[in-house]
Amino acid sequence: MTHKIVLTLASSLLALSIASPTLADSWYPYPAQAMEPPFAADAKPVDVEYTPLEKAEKPWNICVSFPHMKDAYWLGVDYGVVEQAKDLGVKMNLVEAGGYTELNKQISQIEDCVAGGAEAVVIGAISFDGLNNLVGEIKEKNIPVIDVINGMSSPDLTAKSLVSFYTMGYETGAYLAKKHPAGSEEVKVGWFPGPAGAGWVEAANTGFLEAIKGSAVKALEPKYGDTGKEVQLKLVEDMLQAEPDVRYVAGTAVTAEAAQGLIRERGLQGKVDLLAFYMTPGVYEGIKRGFILAAPADSMVIQGRIAIDQAVRALEGKELVKHVGPKIFVVDPDNIATVPQTNILPPDGFAPVFSVN
């Protein structure tokens, strides 16, 4: 693949993709960051513009596995994998395990996919380490495995299409730290990073806590839980009960979405502000309407698109960027009007699609 390294053009490309219908319609070239060396703990980001293949050489059979489809975030990734499969002319079958407690189900679903003739597998992993044996077995069959969104520690992966959730958490914490620098009055933040043990959750937690170090922002003990609305709402209710002087609630997009009604019901608007460390349509709308303060956008639609493109490149022996993700930027009331949903979110009314034939 000819991917041009651009250290100065990435932000202007992002502005172009937002401003120009032609670029937005075709989605690429997209401002992204490749990690060099790929998969390394000390990898450094290099700005690139990502351009996919125009068409696949044949209608490859690609299996996609998600942890669940319970929130709009994974719906956005679904939109990305579906549209890219259509664009490239490949077959795509998607399975979802039903939640972050369902690791065994995810493993058996993927095994069934492979037994059913999948030629490449794209995995949004429930566990950072828990699928490593499976990935090794699939590699032995010469089937490419692409790690999308969540992150896995397996050395047998073919490629990764994801952003650093460390950076997502860090950007969210840095936003608060800038508002409440060292020396100003201390503020408490309730912190809800998501399901314990998931790679993306631990990374976001580390980044968030790192960013607020030395500022006047004091994070309460992290409250872990599945990203279902009921679970997150209960966690926030319990925290508000125990910590009536809390100033912010920060956490998953589901946390922020679920807490909006609760904050309004209790008359806490302006007293307790909400932040998410990633973007969903609900968070986007919440920022627009003034109910949510801010969230970084990780362009999950594009991550899904890139994963399918990487799978096809691997199958066809074409050059691929092995470890790459869209550039992250924070959305808040100051820039929400200039950030359309294109590319960072699924379109309104999009319903889950499980196969492309």
Side-chain angles (χ1 to χ4, degrees):
M1 156 182 183
T2 53
H3 64 88
K4 200 168 45 175
I5 304 237
V6 281
L7 298 171
T8 53
L9 288 181
S11 56
S12 55
L13 272 166
L14 181 55
L16 272 172
S17 70
I18 287 168
S20 155
T22 314
L23 268 177
D25 287 347
S26 66
W27 79 263
Y28 57 84
Y30 203 83
Q33 288 191 314
M35 301 305 289
E36 298 290 347
F39 309 171
D42 59 351
K44 297 285 185 287
V46 179
D47 287 358
V48 301
E49 46 180 347
Y50 195 95
T51 301
L53 298 168
E54 286 192 17
K55 279 287 173 205
E57 289 173 1
K58 59 182 269 194
W60 301 102
N61 180 1
I62 299 173
C63 171
V64 177
S65 167
F66 286 174
H68 64 80
M69 203 89 86
K70 288 192 280 194
D71 64 47
Y73 186 90
W74 286 102
L75 192 64
V77 191
D78 181 35
Y79 176 69
V81 297
V82 165
E83 290 303 303
Q84 199 57 31
K86 288 178 185 172
D87 286 357
L88 291 174
V90 296
K91 294 175 184 171
M92 189 281 297
N93 286 300
L94 187 147
V95 292
E96 55 99 12
Y100 277 93
T101 55
E102 304 297 326
L103 176 61
N104 289 338
K105 185 173 178 185
Q106 183 172 46
I107 290 168
S108 67
Q109 284 179 331
I110 294 167
E111 286 171 342
D112 290 347
C113 260
V114 171
E119 292 166 293
V121 183
V122 173
I123 304 175
I126 282 174
S127 165
F128 189 59
D129 303 313
L131 292 108
N132 288 5
N133 288 343
L134 177 65
V135 173
E137 288 163 16
I138 297 171
K139 187 193 178 186
E140 282 177 13
K141 296 180 167 78
N142 291 319
I143 294 172
V145 182
I146 312 300
D147 179 10
V148 70
I149 304 286
N150 280 353
M152 287 185 273
S153 60
S154 171
D156 295 319
L157 292 162
T158 307
K160 290 175 179 270
S161 171
L162 42 75
V163 298
S164 158
F165 270 93
Y166 173 90
T167 307
M168 300 289 282
Y170 189 93
E171 289 289 341
T172 309
Y175 186 88
L176 285 180
K178 193 175 173 186
K179 278 182 170 296
H180 303 279
S184 58
E185 191 181 341
E186 185 180 275
V187 292
K188 286 185 187 175
V189 54
W191 172 232
F192 304 85
W200 62 279
V201 173
E202 299 309 330
N205 183 53
T206 304
F208 181 81
L209 297 177
E210 189 67 35
I212 61 172
K213 260 186 200 167
S215 73
V217 181
K218 183 196 173 193
L220 301 172
E221 189 70 26
K223 299 294 182 193
Y224 293 96
D226 188 65
T227 47
K229 282 201 171 174
E230 286 176 13
V231 173
Q232 290 298 316
L233 188 58
K234 178 77 168 68
L235 288 172
V236 175
E237 281 176 336
D238 291 349
M239 186 274 303
L240 289 173
Q241 182 80 27
E243 304 281 350
D245 59 341
V246 77
R247 178 65 186 85
Y248 296 100
V249 169
T252 72
V254 184
T255 316
E257 287 177 33
Q260 289 177 99
L262 183 67
I263 296 299
R264 290 202 299 277
E265 279 166 27
R266 298 197 177 181
L268 293 173
Q269 275 186 281
K271 295 173 187 169
V272 179
D273 284 325
L274 304 172
L275 298 96
F277 65 82
Y278 59 90
M279 184 66 67
T280 61
V283 169
Y284 182 88
E285 279 305 310
I287 297 171
K288 233 175 170 178
R289 296 168 67 194
F291 298 141
I292 296 174
L293 185 59
D298 63 343
S299 310
M300 87 285 274
V301 173
I302 303 300
Q303 292 184 64
R305 282 186 174 277
I306 289 173
I308 296 295
D309 184 65
Q310 286 172 320
V312 173
R313 285 177 178 278
L315 285 164
E316 297 181 356
K318 291 182 174 153
E319 190 183 348
L320 81 156
V321 188
K322 284 177 72 78
H323 189 169
V324 65
K327 261 202 144 174
I328 294 165
F329 58 102
V330 176
V331 179
D332 70 0
D334 293 339
N335 67 0
I336 186 79
T338 61
V339 180
Q341 290 192 33
T342 318
N343 293 346
I344 68 166
L345 294 168
D348 293 337
F350 177 73
V353 175
F354 292 91
S355 66
V356 174
N357 291 309

